[in-house]
Amino acid sequence: MADVLLNPKWGYRFLLLLLCAVILFLNLLPINTAPRAWGAPDLIPCLIFSWTLRRPSYAPTILVALIAFSADMILQRPPGLFAAAFLIANEFLRSRAADISTGTFTVEWAYVALALTAAVLFERVLLNITLVDTNPLRLTLTQLVITLLAYPAVAAFCHFALKLRFQSPSDVRMEGAIQ
């Protein structure tokens, strides 16, 4: 039991939950109430994608689903729609994490851009099919581009500030022995 409590993976899981809660709190603050011509970056997908690519066991699917669904509810998006699209994109990245870790940052960024773009387009198409009012396409695409431009900063924060590095083969062996 003590091994489980001292395992750093639980600390990183709690830290991920805490950082996402802080991001959601900051999204709710009424800093500027006038409508803008651009969308602010969605930092939660950036943070979770970076976390999942570096240490897949530190961001379990259940935790990611809980965070994504909570974000849908708190930000008043259609419940579960972006969470489902985001979870599919996250699992796509999780399945490619070993390949991405051996490449350069450009490869990682391209995979994240592909996954996030697919998730946003999936959500947008489903909302249009069901005739739900949506933001203008220009605003959605602007937010997507700004989010993708924010990914390197979030990845650098995870790498340098949080010391969240890519898994090495020895880490995988050690992690398997702990569980």
Side-chain angles (χ1 to χ4, degrees):
M1 182 68 180
D3 290 340
V4 172
L5 294 176
L6 295 176
N7 195 344
K9 117 170 92 171
W10 286 101
Y12 275 104
R13 288 175 180 174
F14 179 72
L15 183 61
L16 176 64
L17 187 63
L18 182 69
L19 287 173
C20 288
V22 167
I23 291 169
L24 280 173
F25 176 74
L26 293 175
N27 281 338
L28 293 176
L29 289 178
I31 294 171
N32 186 5
T33 57
R36 296 182 298 216
W38 55 275
D42 195 357
L43 296 177
I44 290 177
C46 292
L47 186 66
I48 291 178
F49 286 164
S50 180
W51 220 275
T52 299
L53 288 174
R54 281 161 179 69
R55 294 292 179 143
S57 65
Y58 289 2
T61 304
I62 277 289
L63 181 62
V64 171
L66 175 73
I67 291 169
F69 187 72
S70 298
D72 278 353
M73 298 305 284
I74 291 171
L75 299 176
Q76 297 181 356
R77 298 187 289 216
L81 180 59
F82 187 71
F86 175 68
L87 198 57
I88 291 169
N90 193 54
E91 291 306 308
F92 167 75
L93 289 175
R94 184 185 307 274
S95 69
R96 306 286 189 279
D99 298 333
I100 294 171
S101 69
T102 60
T104 62
F105 180 74
T106 309
V107 172
E108 176 186 346
W109 199 8
Y111 269 101
V112 167
L114 175 72
L116 192 58
T117 302
V120 168
L121 290 178
F122 175 74
E123 177 192 29
R124 183 78 184 194
V125 166
L126 281 180
L127 287 174
N128 286 333
I129 287 173
T130 57
L131 302 175
V132 174
D133 270 342
T134 58
N135 294 331
L137 182 61
R138 181 179 50 84
L139 184 63
T140 303
L141 293 177
T142 303
Q143 183 179 23
L144 175 65
V145 168
I146 291 172
T147 301
L148 292 176
L149 291 175
Y151 181 77
V154 173
F157 172 74
C158 289
H159 184 80
F160 295 112
L162 302 178
K163 305 286 189 237
L164 198 61
R165 308 275 202 262
F166 281 106
Q167 269 184 319
S168 67
S170 63
D171 293 336
V172 174
R173 283 193 299 273
M174 285 176 50
E175 206 170 272
I178 292 173
Q179 294 176 359

